[in-house]
Amino acid sequence: MCYDIRGPVLEKARQMEEEGHKIIKLNIGNLAAFGFDAPDEIVQDMIRNMGNASGYTDSKGLFAPRKSVMHYTQQKKIEGVTIDDIYLGNGASELIVMSVNALLNTGDEVLVPSPDYPLWTAAVSLSGGTPVHYVCDEQQGWQPDIADIKKKITPNTKAIVVINPNNPTGALYSVEVLKEIIELARQHQLIILADEIYDKVLYDGNTHTSLASLADDVLFITFNGLSKNYRSCGYRAGWMVVSGEKKHARDYIEGLNMLASMRLCANAPGQFAIQTALGGYQSINDLVGPNGRLTKQRDLAHKLLTDIPGVTCVKPKSALYMFPRLDPEIYPIKDDQEFAYELLAEEKVLIVQGTGFNCPTPDHFRVVFLPNTDDLTESMGRIAHFLEGYRRRHGTA
């Protein structure tokens, strides 16, 4: 198991900070650190309800926020969701681990995208299962390779993970691809685990289609929360929705209920933020609009990165990240974690290496484009300077 977003390279960065160095951190989508604050109405409602947040709640969560999630599923055109199908959690991360814990026996397999958000691979391993990585094709805008998925389904396969919008690539999947994934799940009786935490962080007028809205004869577990859409990472307010073909999943749902009860409940203050967030003004739209801060920073980061010789990058349609590729002919990297260490030591910039996202080759890395334009220009300039030196050292300049 590993989770390199907060792995050994971050530990080195912390050590350098203790020694007095100032590190530019492009490793994690922690919006508050870059001046993206939670909407005031969410903060105020949490404060007003703090007096009611001292006790345990129902193990699945308070009624009102779960009702607001139910209404949200209706907006997303997911049919047949009741209050009982909704679980609130300490962020979507807790619920992801819970959903896999309840599902897997030793030796069971789960199809996970490559590259992926590494919690998924780790959760499958932690639950005694075997993560099997399917290819997302960079040449096709990082869309899942349906033929590769089909090839990797075995009698031990229990589920397929779909991260859409995607972290780390910023891809947004087409409806056609989503329908093909559903058809494979239908044919092989697989559960679809749909991570949709970035479903409002969309650029260039793109729209997001919830996987669970496209069928009712497959079992879907959909994950979402406040962390990214509402800049509320630290509130740890997420939810999980069970929908579709539930009648053959009674044992699995019983397992989910048992695990939800064992952790007693999600944090109550965070639960009080959900109803206000989903029903209030959607300020994320201002940030991702044509003149929004996130759009401008995405465009700037993409230009600065792709202006560097030997660096290409599929422009993100969603989320907060870029996943650039370093041409192996120009950058003959053998160990991308060592590459990240060298960048940190020389330029005081912290990134996450591509293999930390279960990318099979050491020629990618992930950066967030959350810093303001001045800091973004500075950090990309440092990366460009480092790569210029790398080309000289390896005779590929």
Side-chain angles (χ1 to χ4, degrees):
M1 272 185 61
C2 66
Y3 186 76
D4 281 339
I5 294 173
R6 298 195 182 200
V9 184
L10 175 61
E11 289 304 314
K12 178 64 176 175
R14 285 175 177 156
Q15 179 185 333
M16 291 173 66
E17 284 182 318
E18 289 171 2
E19 294 167 355
H21 298 284
K22 184 177 180 182
I23 308 298
I24 299 177
K25 295 178 181 175
L26 305 180
N27 64 312
I28 190 167
N30 186 18
L31 291 108
F34 299 97
F36 291 92
D37 298 325
D40 283 344
E41 60 180 347
I42 294 178
V43 178
Q44 292 303 317
D45 269 22
M46 286 183 66
I47 292 170
R48 289 190 185 96
N49 283 289
M50 197 61 72
N52 301 319
S54 300
Y56 294 130
T57 72
D58 181 90
S59 59
K60 289 186 178 181
L62 292 163
F63 177 84
R66 286 163 70 204
K67 185 81 169 182
S68 65
V69 171
M70 189 182 85
H71 290 154
Y72 187 60
T73 65
Q74 292 166 358
Q75 293 171 27
K76 299 288 286 187
K77 298 182 169 56
I78 302 173
E79 297 183 355
V81 175
T82 70
I83 288 288
D84 210 39
D85 298 320
I86 296 165
Y87 300 73
L88 305 186
N90 297 300
S93 298
E94 179 191 44
L95 297 166
I96 285 169
V97 175
M98 185 190 298
S99 71
V100 180
N101 283 167
L103 178 64
L104 299 180
N105 294 316
T106 302
D108 287 345
E109 296 174 357
V110 176
L111 290 161
V112 180
S114 172
D116 75 332
Y117 177 56
L119 173 65
W120 279 106
T121 295
V124 172
S125 299
L126 185 66
S127 302
T130 302
V132 177
H133 292 102
Y134 64 84
V135 171
C136 293
D137 187 352
E138 188 170 10
Q139 300 303 313
Q140 300 297 321
W142 291 113
Q143 299 285 309
D145 185 328
I146 300 299
D148 191 64
I149 296 173
K150 192 180 301 185
K151 185 171 62 178
K152 289 174 176 171
I153 295 172
T154 75
N156 293 326
T157 308
K158 301 299 177 188
I160 178 168
V161 174
V162 180
I163 305 172
N164 179 46
N166 188 264
N167 174 10
T169 66
L172 185 66
Y173 298 162
S174 69
V175 172
E176 291 71 28
V177 164
L178 297 179
K179 287 180 176 178
E180 289 185 86
I181 292 172
I182 290 171
E183 182 55 33
L184 288 178
R186 183 181 287 125
Q187 291 173 11
H188 297 277
Q189 297 183 312
L190 305 180
I191 297 173
I192 293 180
L193 304 170
D195 183 344
E196 301 183 350
I197 193 76
Y198 294 94
D199 70 337
K200 289 181 180 289
V201 189
L202 308 168
Y203 307 102
D204 308 321
N206 283 296
T207 57
H208 174 263
T209 300
S210 234
L211 252 172
S213 70
L214 298 175
D216 60 7
D217 60 339
V218 171
L219 183 64
F220 297 92
I221 313 293
T222 303
F223 304 87
N224 211 320
L226 301 189
S227 293
K228 310 303 182 180
N229 293 336
Y230 299 94
R231 288 85 68 204
S232 303
C233 299
Y235 294 171
R236 309 314 300 135
W239 56 86
M240 173 174 73
V241 178
V242 181
S243 66
E245 180 55 82
K246 290 175 275 193
K247 65 176 181 286
H248 296 303
R250 288 174 187 162
D251 288 351
Y252 177 51
I253 293 170
E254 183 180 338
L256 293 176
N257 292 338
M258 186 183 301
L259 291 173
S261 297
M262 285 170 62
R263 55 91 207 237
L264 298 178
C265 68
N267 81 87
Q271 293 185 48
F272 280 113
I274 294 173
Q275 184 178 17
T276 299
L278 291 180
Y281 179 71
Q282 302 300 298
S283 54
I284 185 63
N285 295 331
D286 300 330
L287 294 169
V288 300
N291 296 308
R293 179 181 165 186
L294 283 173
T295 302
K296 289 179 178 178
Q297 290 171 192
R298 177 203 62 159
D299 293 346
L300 176 63
H302 185 265
K303 181 181 187 309
L304 293 173
L305 280 169
T306 55
D307 280 348
I308 301 170
V311 179
T312 56
C313 183
V314 176
K315 194 170 189 179
K317 294 181 177 179
S318 58
L320 308 170
Y321 314 99
M322 296 206 178
F323 201 61
R325 178 179 183 268
L326 300 168
D327 184 340
E329 297 294 320
I330 299 175
Y331 304 101
I333 299 165
K334 303 297 183 190
D335 181 339
D336 61 352
Q337 181 170 292
E338 187 60 34
F339 173 86
Y341 276 130
E342 291 173 9
L343 173 62
L344 176 64
E346 292 186 28
E347 298 292 344
K348 314 297 186 292
V349 175
L350 178 62
I351 61 166
V352 185
Q353 67 276 15
T355 56
F357 300 93
N358 295 292
C359 190
T361 52
D363 55 0
H364 288 80
F365 63 94
R366 191 193 77 167
V367 295
V368 302
F369 49 85
L370 291 172
N372 64 50
T373 52
D374 288 345
D375 292 341
L376 206 51
T377 301
E378 170 69 20
S379 59
M380 295 302 155
R382 293 189 190 188
I383 292 173
H385 183 259
F386 173 77
L387 291 176
E388 181 184 4
Y390 194 97
R391 295 193 301 275
R392 280 201 308 270
R393 290 194 298 273
H394 291 82
T396 58

